Amino acid sequence: MIRDKGSLRFALLTPAFQLVLFGLIDMNVRHVPAVVFDQSRTAQSRELINDFVNTSYFDVVATVPSHVALRQYIVAGRAAVGVEIPPDFARRRLNQQSADVLVLIDGSDSTISSQALAAVNGVALSQSVAELAEKAGVADLPIRLHPLLLFNPDSRTANLLIPGLVAILLTFSGTLLAAFAIVRERERGTLEQLMVTPASPIAVILGKLLPYLVLAFVQLIFVLLLMVFVFRVPIHGSVPLLLGLSTIYLFALLSLGLLVSSRARTQMEAIQGAQAFLLPSIMLSGYFFPLSALPTPLPATHFIAIARGIIIRGATFPDLWRSVAALIAIAVVLVAASTRAFHKTIS
């Protein structure tokens, strides 16, 4: 493994590059380009437009003369939100009647559309509540909510994305690294030397796992250092607990890679076999989709729960024992399957 410089560069540099690349993504939508068709042209309509801008979600990029032009801005991609204010907007508000405002939202980007919709509803609700309180002569609202966002009060995207991203990066690199272990021996003609040794199949598998486990552990520490010192993501829980539970996850990943390697005949076949496992493992990990929508939990699912629990919430072992037990069970099954596949290879 030490003589294989390409694998070492892949193991250490690729996760760092991917962490920096994906860690810079900000999922908080701000300054969405908006276009306005104001048929009222009154102080009330300008106040409504200012309320949209003051949320910091919207930037008015243009004022258009017609509904067709409003829609065309969105179709052309020059704006994601269009606000159409009717001519009687101010009159209806002064007469204490409901005033309708049409808001067109580009639904081709689900992230922007969902957050823009929430912001639009928030503006409408805040104005409606303020007007109702003024009409009722209420100086203060009877119920005031004081929401407190735990663990990530600033809603930093890095604090949410990177703990789960650690599991994804390790899944990708750890599985691919181990996928070459046995098949490389077969292509170089050294597999026969392993067959004549007195070592048992389980001993060979463990011997193959341990060096890659050390390399993957170095990789994990490197990624965690980048997370803490470059992206300023604090670890609220126990670092030794995180490293200890990460070892179980890395063991499961490397066992999966060795299982693929034992069945493959060439390194290209090993890559294809690993990718067949990688895509479902990543897509069904709970990182991209909610866990309630997933058909079955995978190793990455449990480790993402562990990583987010320790890093973000400061969880302890009693809080995570279900995920830990599931991860241990998966690791044992994968090691047994790898040993069985290798035994068939040399028999």
Side-chain angles (χ1 to χ4, degrees):
M1 186 180 67
I2 295 176
R3 291 193 298 268
D4 191 357
K5 304 298 182 182
S7 296
L8 290 176
R9 284 193 296 268
F10 171 81
L12 297 178
L13 298 182
T14 301
F17 170 75
Q18 292 176 339
L19 181 66
V20 172
L21 179 65
F22 296 122
L24 293 175
I25 297 174
D26 190 355
M27 297 295 291
N28 294 319
V29 175
R30 295 286 187 273
H31 306 292
V32 175
V35 61
V36 175
F37 175 30
D38 186 2
Q39 302 177 78
S40 179
R41 298 182 181 275
T42 58
Q44 286 79 7
S45 65
R46 288 191 292 270
E47 178 188 357
L48 177 64
I49 296 171
N50 288 334
D51 286 342
F52 277 104
V53 174
N54 291 336
T55 62
S56 78
Y57 282 95
F58 307 104
D59 284 341
V60 176
V61 296
T63 301
V64 295
S66 67
H67 175 80
V68 175
L70 183 78
R71 186 179 179 87
Q72 185 58 39
Y73 258 80
I74 298 177
V75 172
R78 289 180 287 175
V81 174
V83 180
E84 181 177 342
I85 303 175
D88 59 348
F89 177 77
R91 178 179 58 81
R92 295 184 68 86
R93 288 187 61 183
L94 292 175
N95 292 336
Q96 300 184 359
Q97 296 176 322
S98 61
D100 298 325
V101 177
L102 176 63
V103 180
L104 305 179
I105 300 176
D106 180 9
S108 60
D109 190 324
S110 60
T111 302
I112 291 180
S113 62
S114 60
Q115 296 194 35
L117 180 61
V120 168
N121 289 330
V123 170
L125 181 62
S126 62
Q127 281 216 351
S128 300
V129 171
E131 289 189 10
L132 289 174
E134 183 180 353
K135 292 174 185 177
V138 178
D140 202 0
L141 295 177
I143 299 176
R144 291 184 299 175
L145 299 180
H146 300 279
L148 178 61
L149 191 60
L150 298 177
F151 313 120
N152 189 20
D154 299 329
S155 297
R156 287 189 67 223
T157 300
N159 290 12
L160 299 175
L161 288 183
I162 292 183
L165 186 59
V166 171
I168 299 301
L169 295 179
L170 292 177
T171 301
F172 180 76
S173 58
T175 305
L176 283 181
L177 277 176
F180 298 124
I182 303 297
V183 71
R184 187 185 293 119
E185 300 277 0
R186 181 181 287 112
E187 287 190 344
R188 293 177 178 176
T190 55
L191 185 60
E192 290 77 9
Q193 298 177 14
L194 289 177
M195 296 179 183
V196 299
T197 60
S200 63
I202 185 64
V204 174
I205 289 297
L206 292 177
K208 285 291 184 183
L209 275 178
L210 291 179
Y212 288 105
L213 182 63
V214 173
L215 180 59
F217 200 76
V218 172
Q219 183 185 85
L220 170 66
I221 294 175
F222 185 43
V223 169
L224 291 178
L225 289 175
L226 285 176
M227 180 188 75
V228 173
F229 294 105
V230 175
F231 291 97
R232 304 294 180 183
V233 178
I235 300 178
H236 293 94
S238 169
V239 175
L241 177 63
L242 176 62
L243 295 178
L245 298 182
S246 299
T247 305
I248 304 173
Y249 177 60
L250 293 174
F251 211 78
L253 291 181
L254 296 174
S255 300
L256 176 60
L258 284 180
L259 176 61
V260 172
S261 185
S262 299
R263 294 183 176 273
R265 296 295 174 183
T266 64
Q267 294 192 41
M268 182 57 67
E269 187 178 341
I271 293 177
Q272 294 173 348
Q275 289 176 344
F277 285 101
L278 282 175
L279 185 59
S281 296
I282 293 174
M283 297 302 293
L284 302 179
S285 64
Y287 185 71
F288 298 101
F289 306 108
L291 291 177
S292 58
L294 302 181
T296 181
L298 296 172
T301 308
H302 301 291
F303 186 70
I304 286 178
I306 292 172
R308 285 177 172 171
I310 296 175
I311 295 174
I312 300 177
R313 302 193 305 273
T316 59
F317 184 82
D319 304 317
L320 305 169
W321 71 267
R322 291 181 178 86
S323 296
V324 175
L327 208 54
I328 292 175
I330 292 173
V332 170
V333 169
L334 288 175
V335 170
S338 302
T339 304
R340 188 167 182 269
F342 179 73
H343 183 71
K344 286 185 177 180
T345 300
I346 62 177
S347 60

